[in-house]
């Protein structure tokens, strides 16, 4: 079943998690457009689905990704259009990370 999602090992699953994280930070800090939101939602949904329905009891969790998915869904298409008109700056704290 995991093969249909392109997951051949735990390394591939970790890569999907990382991809979702990269899309999330790019969407959150740089580009809240509808196309970017769609890619992010699809990636987060795929990761959450795999973890919740196929990887139960293996130690993997999707709590953070589900919270991010809820945040993205709360924005909705209209909010994406409004936000994409404004430039968002990244607030870099003392750690050097957003």
């Amino acid at each position: 079943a995991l093969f249909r999602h392109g997951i051949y090992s735990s390394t591939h699953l970790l890569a999907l998690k990382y991809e979702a994280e990269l899309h999330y930070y790019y969407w959150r800090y740089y580009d809240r457009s509808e196309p970017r939101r769609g890619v992010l939602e699809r990636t987060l949904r795929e990761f959450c689905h795999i973890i919740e329905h196929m990887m139960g009891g293996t130690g993997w969790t999707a709590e953070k990704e589900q919270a991010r998915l809820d945040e993205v869904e709360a924005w909705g298409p209209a909010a994406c259009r409004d936000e994409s008109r404004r430039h968002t700056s990244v607030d870099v704290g003392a750690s050097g990370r957003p």
Side-chain angles (χ1 to χ4, degrees):
L2 291 174
F3 294 133
R4 284 186 265 151
H5 294 279
I7 306 299
Y8 302 105
S9 69
S10 60
T11 303
H12 289 99
L13 190 56
L14 186 60
L16 180 61
K17 180 181 175 82
Y18 184 62
E19 178 187 10
E21 187 172 344
L22 289 175
H23 283 300
Y24 172 76
Y25 282 118
Y26 192 84
W27 173 82
R28 183 168 182 193
Y29 293 110
Y30 297 107
D31 182 9
R32 289 200 177 194
S33 67
E34 183 62 25
R36 177 65 59 186
R37 179 177 169 261
V39 170
L40 172 58
E41 272 189 297
R42 187 172 54 250
T43 307
L44 285 170
R45 282 184 198 283
E46 182 175 6
F47 182 78
C48 290
H49 173 76
I50 291 170
I51 296 303
E52 293 169 2
H53 299 285
M54 298 179 194
M55 299 295 291
T58 61
W60 286 81
T61 63
E63 294 169 2
K64 186 181 289 187
E65 287 75 14
Q66 186 62 52
R68 289 176 176 169
L69 183 58
D70 294 342
E71 177 185 348
V72 171
E73 288 174 339
W75 266 83
C80 286
R81 282 194 298 276
D82 293 341
E83 185 66 24
S84 66
R85 294 182 189 143
R86 294 186 287 169
H87 174 71
T88 359
S89 62
V90 177
D91 180 26
V92 178
S95 66
R97 293 180 284 171

